[in-house]
Amino acid sequence: MGNKDGMNYAPKGKINRVVEPGAFNVGVTALDHGHINGMTNGLIEAGATIKYVYDPDAEKVANYLESFPDVTVAESLEQILEDPEIQLVAAAAVPNLRSALGNRVMRAGKDYFTDKTGFTTLEQLEETKKVVAETGKKYWVYFSERLHVEGAVFAGQLIEEGRIGRVIQVTGFGPHRLDKEKRPDWFFKKEQYGGILADIGSHQIEQFLYYTGNTDADVLHSKVGNYNNPATPELEDYGDATLVGDNGATFIFKVDWFTPDGLGTWGDGRTFITGTEGTIEIRKYINVATEQTGDHLFLVTKDGEEHYSLTGEVGFPFFGEMILDCVNRTENAMTQEHIFKAQELCLKAQEQALNITANL
């Protein structure tokens, strides 16, 4: 059975340490979203040492220590920021607080790794760009729907090998289970979570840029709505958008909070990629009514049809590459420009979105 709780989805992969124990030290803070557990798993598997955890909420810290019992509890965020051994701070704050925390971390001389979305406004993005330029530090974003899905990683490898030719179109589906009673108050306040296209839409736009090799794109059209949650009117339970990249590749995506309770995982995330010489479909978390496992990839080329079942086969190379980028000041895992562009486009999609249910 797949993981039915998306908020606390924390994939585990192959151990592939790129540094020796104690050579890359991380402080963890702001435990507001369960994605911090997946971020921590990825870092540990790549060889990072989680030296400290801090959150003002003792219950959140206790829950974190259930999964990571060897981590020392810091007395304050300052203890983490003032420790010269700490090279990276990982955090999953309330979305509208993520950029300000990152700015503080980078000004303290550390690189920063935040849950997506890293920003809820274009103003935050512009401010953080200035801080990155000022400090020379890195602002990483956890785009887990590509970075922590083996099928999505393998798709990138197939594209890089030229197996489907030039990518001309990507279609993404990012449905999520709402689990309304489990969500914190901030989840329903638009100023805090940023809107559905800024939040879970950020995964989608990052994938489009990556798979198509685009460094920029235009948002042609975007829509949001609240179809089924009148008691929480600021929650957008549906969103979609259409983009075209500078190289002509196009993108259509849909995100929503309508995963039925009967599905064996938290969302039937899928990506369809059309190339000039083949197609790829990724069924990320489940193969509905067929297999409860995820990481299924279907490749069709002139040579025929192939089905890959990839759980445990590919691993998650991003985390090791990120650590080495921090150590060597390189940009092999993902460029800063790519991260900022993915965030800029999802914020623009959110900003210009038509509210399709406003007058219903």
Side-chain angles (χ1 to χ4, degrees), residues 38 64 177 189 236 257 286 295 321 328:
Y64 184 84
R177 176 171 286 122
K189 296 175 181 175
E236 294 167 352
W257 293 101
I286 194 169
D295 291 303
E321 292 169 355
N328 299 322

Side-chain angles (χ1 to χ4, degrees), residues 6 19 94 96 98 100 119 126 130 142 144 147 157-158 160 176-177 209 239 263 271 274 300 341:
V19 288
V94 175
N96 68 323
R98 289 172 183 167
F119 309 93
E126 290 307 312
K130 292 175 185 174
Y142 179 54
S144 57
L147 304 175
Q157 294 171 358
L158 291 173
E160 192 173 339
H176 287 59
R177 176 171 286 122
L209 294 176
L263 189 73
T271 304
T274 301
V300 183
K341 183 56 67 173

Side-chain angles (χ1 to χ4, degrees), residues 202 243 348:
S202 62
L243 288 79
K348 285 182 174 178

Side-chain angles (χ1 to χ4, degrees), residues 19-296:
V19 288
E20 295 299 315
F24 188 80
N25 294 289
V26 176
V28 171
T29 191
L31 310 178
D32 295 290
H33 197 295
H35 282 168
I36 195 65
N37 296 309
M39 296 161 70
T40 301
N41 284 338
L43 285 163
I44 290 173
E45 288 160 9
T49 299
I50 310 300
K51 185 173 180 180
Y52 293 122
V53 62
Y54 172 73
D55 192 282
D57 185 330
E59 183 179 351
K60 288 188 175 77
V61 172
N63 290 337
Y64 184 84
L65 292 175
E66 285 182 15
S67 299
F68 309 103
D70 298 331
V71 179
T72 298
V73 179
E75 295 180 4
S76 64
L77 176 59
E78 287 73 21
Q79 184 179 352
I80 294 174
L81 297 182
E82 292 169 8
D83 186 337
E85 290 189 348
I86 297 294
Q87 289 142 287
L88 177 79
V89 173
V94 175
N96 68 323
L97 304 179
R98 289 172 183 167
S99 61
L101 175 58
N103 297 343
R104 184 177 175 190
V105 166
M106 292 185 292
R107 284 179 169 139
K110 323 293 185 188
D111 294 318
Y112 179 62
F113 183 31
T114 177
D115 188 19
K116 63 77 218 161
T117 176
F119 309 93
T120 55
T121 68
L122 287 163
E123 291 75 20
Q124 290 174 0
L125 173 61
E126 290 307 312
E127 176 65 20
T128 291
K129 284 181 178 180
K130 292 175 185 174
V131 177
V132 166
E134 160 198 323
T135 63
K137 294 302 171 183
K138 295 179 181 290
Y139 189 103
W140 299 100
V141 176
Y142 179 54
F143 296 114
S144 57
E145 290 187 26
R146 180 174 70 84
L147 304 175
H148 234 158
V149 174
E150 287 179 284
V153 173
F154 189 60
Q157 294 171 358
L158 291 173
I159 291 167
E160 192 173 339
E161 292 168 8
R163 293 288 297 279
I164 64 168
R166 178 167 55 93
V167 175
I168 60 170
Q169 209 283 327
V170 178
T171 300
F173 297 110
H176 287 59
R177 176 171 286 122
L178 183 55
D179 279 334
K180 198 168 187 177
E181 68 284 351
K182 297 180 183 178
R183 299 287 177 176
D185 288 345
W186 60 258
F187 180 85
F188 303 100
K189 296 175 181 175
K190 190 170 180 180
E191 182 183 353
Q192 292 182 279
Y193 78 89
I196 194 168
L197 298 178
D199 181 20
I200 52 180
S202 62
H203 288 295
Q204 298 292 326
I205 291 175
E206 190 278 330
Q207 289 172 90
F208 166 66
L209 294 176
Y210 175 74
Y211 289 137
T212 61
N214 272 296
T215 57
D216 203 355
D218 291 318
V219 179
L220 301 184
H221 186 66
S222 55
K223 306 187 288 292
V224 296
N226 180 326
Y227 281 97
N228 200 42
N229 291 278
T232 51
E234 292 185 40
L235 174 70
E236 294 167 352
D237 55 25
Y238 177 86
D240 65 39
T242 305
L243 288 79
V244 60
D246 277 4
N247 67 8
T250 69
F251 184 43
I252 301 166
F253 77 88
K254 174 182 78 72
V255 286
D256 65 63
W257 293 101
F258 287 108
T259 293
D261 288 345
L263 189 73
T265 189
W266 54 268
D268 182 18
R270 299 195 185 198
T271 304
F272 300 83
I273 306 169
T274 301
T276 54
E277 298 172 28
T279 62
I280 291 171
E281 179 190 349
I282 315 162
R283 300 182 189 175
K284 294 183 177 180
Y285 309 114
I286 194 169
N287 195 3
V288 173
T290 306
E291 294 156 292
Q292 289 290 321
T293 55
D295 291 303
H296 294 276

